[in-house]
Amino acid sequence: MTTLEHGHDTRERILDAARLLFAERGYAATSLADIASAVGLTKTAVAYHFHPKDRLATELAAPAVEDIVALLQSDFDDDRAFVEALVTFAVRHRAVIRLIMEDISCADDAPPGSPGEAIRVFRDEIYLRLAGPDPDPAHRVWAWAMLGSLQYAVVKTIDLPEEDVRRTLLATALASL
């Protein structure tokens, strides 16, 4: 194995450990030392690859960001198709959703250019897709309830098999349409 390959393998091991620990404990409760211990490295070695810790979160979130952008740019035949795609996204990226849940409550007041602003933009765009351009009060409540239930359902069931969560969550979401 070349040095370059070894470095890539180490980065992947660090990312895998961070993904697992962030999902289990949350971002704020997981230190670089915790990640280093899980991988069998020193904190300095982890920091060499990912310093500050925010770089880990950014790299872990990148695939989810790409997927949500694609989801929001897609055309769907009806609400059912969008809800199905949204549920699939939420379940697939539940570790990342767990990671950002700590920042969601601050999204409304987040400054321009911050991660909180990005969360707010994506959240509001998903809401708009669910609620429509001029929703009545009942549809507004339904859209916010859908968003909240998706967030918490995927975060609180992270220990369950992905397909089981997807199937149950999809049935529940579609029943509410």
Side-chain angles (χ1 to χ4, degrees):
M1 177 182 293
T2 68
T3 303
L4 185 59
E5 289 169 336
H6 181 68
H8 179 72
D9 180 55
T10 300
R11 283 180 61 78
E12 289 304 313
R13 288 178 36 231
I14 293 168
L15 286 167
D16 289 344
R19 184 180 298 108
L20 177 68
L21 292 171
F22 290 162
E24 288 176 356
R25 302 177 186 175
Y27 176 78
T30 303
S31 68
L32 288 180
D34 296 330
I35 296 165
S37 177
V39 180
L41 297 170
T42 65
K43 179 181 171 185
T44 304
V46 172
Y48 170 79
H49 291 281
F50 297 101
H51 183 73
K53 186 172 86 169
D54 292 353
R55 286 186 55 209
L56 268 168
T58 300
E59 193 156 334
L60 288 173
V65 171
E66 291 172 11
D67 284 355
I68 195 67
V69 168
L71 176 79
L72 293 173
Q73 290 177 344
S74 297
D75 290 325
F76 294 92
D77 293 335
D78 55 24
D79 290 343
R80 180 182 176 88
F82 178 70
V83 167
E84 184 171 349
L86 182 59
V87 167
T88 298
F89 164 82
V91 174
R92 178 182 306 128
H93 295 292
R94 58 191 172 159
V96 172
I97 292 171
R98 168 69 166 96
L99 175 66
I100 65 171
M101 284 294 284
E102 296 167 356
D103 293 326
I104 286 176
S105 63
C106 303
D108 287 326
D109 301 322
S114 70
E117 179 192 31
I119 292 167
R120 180 179 64 238
V121 168
F122 287 128
R123 180 205 62 201
D124 291 351
E125 187 63 29
I126 293 167
Y127 168 80
L128 184 61
R129 291 290 292 263
L130 289 168
D134 190 26
D136 61 33
H139 213 73
R140 285 180 55 204
V141 170
W142 175 84
W144 285 120
M146 179 66 68
L147 274 172
S149 65
L150 281 175
Q151 289 171 347
Y152 282 97
V154 297
V155 167
K156 297 298 185 180
T157 60
I158 206 149
D159 60 320
L160 299 176
E162 186 174 309
E163 186 50 37
D164 292 349
V165 174
R166 184 189 171 288
R167 183 177 43 255
T168 303
L169 191 53
L170 183 58
T172 302
L174 293 176
S176 74
L177 281 176

